[in-house]
Amino acid sequence: MTDDDLFRAVLARVATGRPNDSSYAFPLPDPAPVEAVEEFERVVGHPMPPLVRRIYLEIADGGIGPFGGIYALEDEDEPLGMLNGYTEYLHARLDPEEAPPPPAGVLFFCDMGCAQSFLLDCRHPEGQMWWWAEGDRHKLDLTFPQWLGAWLEGQSWSDRPALEVINSLKLPDESWIGSWATDDLVIEVPDTP
């Protein structure tokens, strides 16, 4: 599917009253003002991927996609919404035992519940997707258009088969796994003569 095809498919799904997977029927927010998108791009240091930008500017400021939908750029409680969380996390002093923040240009994008989220990498022209699970993070062999297309075709992203798909898409570069993954690992090194 092209970006135009995906955009039309999102519009059609929104028209049916199902902009996301939530069983609650919250009204979608208005589209994001162009100034909010420009501020996002200025702070992040990368342009918003074209399809992402179009969805925010022409359909809604968040609420579209898997689970409860993508985050809003602007939020009544937080003036910059997703962007505010991004800048706070990048500048936070984290305990050495805590997960490091994602690289600059990678933002929390869609909460999947149970300390799991999809992240959006704006350094990639189409938006590389990442998976965050309880602090571990993995770059995925999946772009935003592919992720959105899979959701539109019925991929839930929140059940056991979805986790198997996510595991098959993990890329080793820039991924990070907490020490808890290797705490019980014992490596025996033979004595050298």
Side-chain angles (χ1 to χ4, degrees), residues 57-74:
L57 288 173
E58 297 180 38
I59 301 178
D61 184 9
I64 292 171
F67 212 64
I70 60 178
Y71 291 131
L73 297 179
E74 296 192 303

Side-chain angles (χ1 to χ4, degrees), residues 86-152:
Y86 170 74
T87 56
E88 284 182 19
Y89 203 175
L90 280 183
H91 297 91
R93 291 186 181 261
L94 300 174
D95 183 286
E97 294 296 314
E98 291 184 69
V106 180
L107 296 93
F108 284 86
F109 186 62
C110 184
D111 182 15
M112 298 301 291
C114 298
Q116 299 176 95
S117 294
F118 278 102
L119 285 69
L120 177 70
D121 188 342
C122 292
R123 302 171 302 174
H124 186 281
E126 290 185 290
Q128 188 87 31
M129 299 304 292
W130 290 54
W131 179 247
W132 177 280
E134 298 179 4
D136 294 346
R137 67 168 188 250
H138 302 276
K139 182 189 273 188
L140 301 177
D141 187 16
L142 185 72
T143 64
F144 174 73
Q146 293 167 331
W147 177 79
L148 186 65
W151 171 71
L152 288 165

Side-chain angles (χ1 to χ4, degrees), residues 31-53:
V34 71
E35 297 82 14
V37 172
E38 289 171 348
E39 175 69 0
F40 173 97
E41 293 174 333
R42 185 189 67 73
V43 171
V44 173
H46 298 277
M48 193 177 276
L51 182 57
V52 175
R53 191 177 213 274

